[in-house]
Structures are given as C-alpha cells and as structure tokens.
Amino acid sequence: MSVKHALLALLEQEPMYGYQLRAEFERRTGTTWPLNVGQVYTTLTRLERDGLAVAEGEDGEGHLVYRITDGGRDEVASWFTTPVARTQPPRDELAIKLALAVTVPGVDVGTVIQQQRSATMAALQDYTRLKRRAADGTAGADGAERADLAWSLVLDSLVFGAEAEIRWLDHCEARLRRAAVEQGRDAARPTDAGTLPVGEAPARGTR
C-alpha cells in the first residue's frame, strides 16, 4: 500500500494536518488498514523533502498544516493512471506456509487447509455482514456518500479476496488428494519382471 500517494491524493482536495489525514484515510477505507499517526507525519516529512508537499504554517489550534505542490499533483495524477505492478507480488504468508507444509515431514497439510478455510469463511461472513449494514445505511451528504462508496469498494475487494482464497484452498486440497492417490498407485504397482536395476545381473538360470 502506498501511504505516500494516498496522503497526496487527500491533500489534493484541501490542506490538512496529520491527524486529519489519518482520520480521512481511515474513514474512506473503513479502517481496513489503520495508520499510525507517527507514520503519517514521517511520510509528510518525506513528501516535503521531495517537494511534493509543503508545510504552510499552523492553524488556529496549533496544528501544522500541509498543502500539496504542483509536483505533488503531477505525482498523484501519475499514480492514478499507472497500473499497480504485479511483477513483484507481496509475500503471501498463507502461500508460503502451504508451500513449506507440503515439504516438511510430519505436518498435517489437510489440517492446515481446513483451519485456514474455517478462518477465511468466518472473515467472509464478517465482510458480508458489513456490506449489508453499509447497504442499509441512510443516504447522507455528497461527501458522506462518496466515503460510503469508497468503503463499499474496499469491502468488495475483501469479499472477492476471501472468496478467491477459499477457492484456492479447495484447489490445494484436491491437488493433495490426487497426489496421495497417485503415490498409492505407484507404491502398489508391481515391479516389471523384465526390468532390473542398473548394475544388477540376471539370476543364474534365467535368460
């Protein structure tokens, strides 16, 4: 997640101070990815260093307010129009866990899959309840409706992600079952009488 670009996109609307930026970010994403206010101010310092934002002074309550620069606006425009790269996907802990589970002796991979599926199903149910709750909410002002739409899109992403993870877990389970069946067949397959291991001579009296 690019905190830098998210903060710039918010600053493009109006100047804000750190706590405002954090509150706006979490309001629009439904606190799905909470931000530490220290992280916000560290990012603002870097944005100022890079000429993408500038501190324009304190407001009446002593908050240091930042505004976006022309360079920052160009950066935001480029971010919105540039596809998210998939060449270096983020580390997926679940994929790594299963990849190791199938290679480490003594791990019950079936149990790993079942436990994860139960957890992901529970998360999917939570996301679905949140979507229903959001859909039942009353319409507010234009800004509130846009924030609700933003949160709804984030929920859609979480729902689709959970559904895809469940399908992938089902796929992994089916692959493991097929592999177990094939290994069982290989173990039960009789040795070809006409084939001898390399370096082993035929028994005396055979042709």
Side-chain angles (χ1 to χ4, degrees):
M1 179 185 66
S2 176
V3 174
K4 161 188 168 180
H5 291 105
L7 297 186
L8 279 175
L10 292 172
L11 285 175
E12 191 174 30
Q13 294 187 304
E14 62 178 304
M16 297 185 203
Y17 55 86
Y19 280 95
Q20 278 181 311
L21 287 164
R22 184 182 71 168
E24 275 300 305
F25 176 85
E26 293 185 352
R27 183 173 74 92
R28 299 184 195 204
T29 60
T31 65
T32 305
W33 302 282
L35 287 181
N36 181 287
V37 72
Q39 181 183 12
V40 173
Y41 279 108
T42 298
T43 304
L44 286 171
T45 299
R46 291 172 181 165
L47 291 175
E48 187 174 26
R49 178 199 64 194
D50 296 338
L52 303 176
V54 61
E56 61 175 12
E58 298 182 352
D59 62 8
E61 298 179 350
H63 300 120
L64 184 59
V65 177
Y66 288 81
R67 65 173 175 81
I68 196 169
T69 63
D70 290 340
R73 293 181 192 280
D74 292 340
E75 184 77 13
V76 172
S78 175
W79 181 55
F80 279 130
T81 56
T82 302
V84 175
R86 298 295 182 190
T87 53
Q88 292 184 332
R91 290 187 181 91
D92 185 324
E93 182 179 353
L94 177 56
I96 293 171
K97 181 189 289 188
L98 283 182
L100 292 175
V102 298
T103 61
V104 175
V107 177
D108 187 342
V109 186
T111 298
V112 174
I113 291 174
Q114 290 170 9
Q115 290 177 338
Q116 184 63 51
R117 185 191 291 111
S118 295
T120 306
M121 283 291 296
L124 178 58
Q125 291 168 357
D126 289 340
Y127 299 149
T128 303
R129 279 194 292 270
L130 286 172
K131 277 183 65 67
R132 282 200 299 266
R133 208 173 297 163
D136 293 340
T138 56
D142 181 61
E145 287 183 359
R146 286 183 175 274
D148 289 342
L149 175 59
W151 170 221
S152 177
L153 292 175
V154 170
L155 275 176
D156 287 340
S157 174
L158 296 174
V159 167
F160 295 155
E163 290 174 341
E165 184 168 285
I166 291 168
R167 289 197 301 273
W168 179 68
L169 289 168
D170 291 343
H171 168 77
C172 290
E173 191 172 54
R175 288 279 308 270
L176 287 169
R177 286 175 179 168
R178 287 199 301 270
V181 170
E182 290 170 1
Q183 287 174 359
R185 288 174 181 166
D186 290 342
R189 186 176 297 141
T191 303
D192 187 345
T195 303
L196 291 172
V198 175
E200 185 172 330
R204 184 171 298 178
T206 63
R207 293 179 183 272

